[in-house]
Amino acid sequence: MATNFNYSNLEVGFTNNPSGLAGTGRFAFMDGAHFIVNASSQFEGDWIVSGGAGFQAPINGFVDIHGDARIYSVKFPEDDKHDFGELAYGVNVGVRAWVMPQIEATAIVGQVAFDSDDTRSVVELGGRFHSTDALSIGILYRANGLYKEQFYSNVRFEF
């Protein structure tokens, strides 16, 4: 059974409190697997850049489970010790569900680990309106342990 959602897309968005920009690209390279790259910054000498591979699978006709494993480069604002950022690794798992025609709900949990003594939790909850098969807009609440809690508004282009 094919997945209920497209896992080949480009997403561009912005965050508030603190404000910043972010982008994510996903490319499904086979049934049930995709590559993912992500970059975000508040433009205060900071960044979060990650890349890795993930999986996706349907649970039923309306819900998919997905996850990924990534390598991160993280530079926090006012971090003078790491010119090129700190390396970390992370894993995430989430669900995407159709709650109404054209309306999707999503939830993600995971962890980003810098070392055995410094692990940050990832929690994201949100929704998405699919205006067409190729375009959707979304909003997420992020409490990801890397930046403060924030809202992320975005537009996603499916291909």
Side-chain angles (χ1 to χ4, degrees):
M1 182 162 123
T3 58
N4 298 296
F5 298 92
N6 184 354
Y7 290 88
S8 291
N9 51 58
L10 177 62
E11 181 178 296
V12 179
F14 64 93
T15 60
N16 70 339
N17 193 25
S19 60
L21 290 175
T24 301
R26 292 175 193 84
F27 178 72
F29 62 91
M30 61 185 282
D31 286 342
H34 63 273
F35 292 119
I36 183 168
V37 293
N38 177 273
S40 63
S41 179
Q42 299 173 12
F43 300 106
E44 296 176 0
D46 67 301
W47 66 75
I48 299 174
V49 177
S50 65
F55 73 92
Q56 69 269 0
I59 293 176
N60 60 33
F62 300 101
V63 180
D64 282 3
I65 186 169
H66 61 90
D68 59 62
R70 301 187 217 176
I71 300 294
Y72 287 77
S73 172
V74 179
K75 178 131 174 36
F76 294 106
E78 303 174 13
D79 179 3
D80 297 330
K81 294 188 328 187
H82 302 94
D83 290 338
F84 299 102
E86 292 183 72
L87 284 179
Y89 62 91
V91 293
N92 302 295
V93 65
V95 294
R96 296 174 72 180
W98 290 112
V99 293
M100 293 175 56
Q102 298 179 289
I103 306 290
E104 166 191 349
T106 184
I108 297 169
V109 295
Q111 284 194 322
V112 177
F114 293 90
D115 59 38
S116 61
D117 296 328
D118 189 2
T119 303
R120 316 279 177 103
S121 296
V122 173
V123 177
E124 296 182 359
L125 303 169
R128 175 167 301 284
F129 172 71
H130 294 261
S131 60
T132 68
D133 288 341
L135 180 68
S136 64
I137 57 171
I139 189 161
L140 284 172
Y141 168 74
R142 289 181 167 172
N144 65 14
L146 299 173
Y147 286 134
K148 296 186 330 183
E149 296 176 16
Q150 57 190 194
F151 284 96
Y152 171 63
S153 303
N154 60 72
V155 61
R156 182 180 290 170
F157 305 95
E158 310 284 346
F159 50 91

